[in-house]
Amino acid sequence: MIMPNRFVYYFGNGHADGGREDKALLGGKGANLAEMTRIGIPVPPGFTITTEVCRLYLRDRRYPEGLTEEVLASVRRLEVDTGKKLGGSDEPLLVSVRSGGAVSMPGMMETILNLGLNDVSVEALARGSQDARFAYDSYRRFVQMYGDVVLGVPARLFEERLTRLKVQRGAAEDTGLSADDLRGLVGEFKELVREHSGERFPDDPEEQLWGAIEAVFRSWNADRAIAYRRVHGIPDYMGTAVSVVAMVYGNMGADSGTGVAFTRNPSTGERVFFGEFLVNAQGEDVVAGIRTPLSIEQMATKLPAAYDQLLAVQQRLEQHFREMQDLEFTVERGQLFLLQTRTGKRTARAAVRIAVDMVAEGLIDEAEAVRRVDPKQLDQLL
């Protein structure tokens, strides 16, 4: 439900201020996170800053009056709901900061994960998880991502340091590096930030948060985002929302993982669950090509309980949205969380088959099926 004179919408503990009808205001990601929360799908709590704020910020080069107070109030609410504190020295709250336009623009804008880590909170994370390697792996990822996205240090410079360390240690993958290796890498990455940007890496989580929010808004006008909108006919004025979500961790060991999946095969339209995942990984590992993912079927043997839950969730989401869904999920120590759902992109062949099959299944009527197949797709099919 749209609320006048409001810039931040909260979701968590089964309650959401918005829903899928609010895509223009909350972006696709924020609206669907709220909708999934509403219908009882396991989603980490969080809040979404509206697309209106993006438009005002890009126009005026400053945030609208009242935004700071709304964001900080939502952070406090998130701390209560999770029982953790942003930058805490006991139970630290970490968040992801992610873009989300009203029209899906996959991979065109920015994301920052593990925000809230510093030299104090990383030790608390290590104690709480009883896993120093996991804590410093998360810290290394955060400094690398924040340094690139917010502070403008080229991503390849971080990758070169990481690759060099793996060669020195004889490690084929990141998972072969120890906690001490990663602790040293964090120091190297921070020095790289100082050398390249002339700034020290920010330790204050609130400073980190505002830096990330600004970077996501700026990414609306990145060259690749502008080019994508031009190709796909998306208006430039719409702006992106920013979703700030409590982190869940797919890199906590063999009972954790992350993946992406479609409720139907996006190439053929066949009604089979289709996707890939990685054990002991965070989301960017699946799409970055640095590790070879497993097929989603292999999750049944690696993480059987979470896989059974995921099968039930994907079916429920498709029936609720009455459309093929593209999912992003994380399993933290056996517990499943959905991080995103959106209408899945598909080939022309798949579009026709899915439309016909959904009529047969009673999900949509024939008129809706015709509307769902773009005439350009028919040209491609023929």
Side-chain angles (χ1 to χ4, degrees), residues 2 8 36 42 51 59 62 76 103 165 172 185 188 214 229 233 240 291 317 346 358:
I2 293 175
V8 180
M36 287 193 288
T51 56
R59 185 191 73 189
R62 59 185 175 85
R76 301 290 94 85
V103 179
L165 181 60
L185 199 58
E188 279 194 51
E214 182 182 16
R229 290 198 295 273
T240 180
R291 288 172 59 187
L317 285 173
R346 67 209 74 180
M358 284 190 167

Side-chain angles (χ1 to χ4, degrees), residues 29 33 36 44 98 248 258 328-330 337-341:
K29 189 176 281 109
L33 283 168
M36 287 193 288
R98 311 179 77 186
V248 288
T258 188
E328 184 181 332
F329 65 91
T330 284
F337 294 93
L338 270 288
L339 306 182
Q340 177 169 292
T341 191

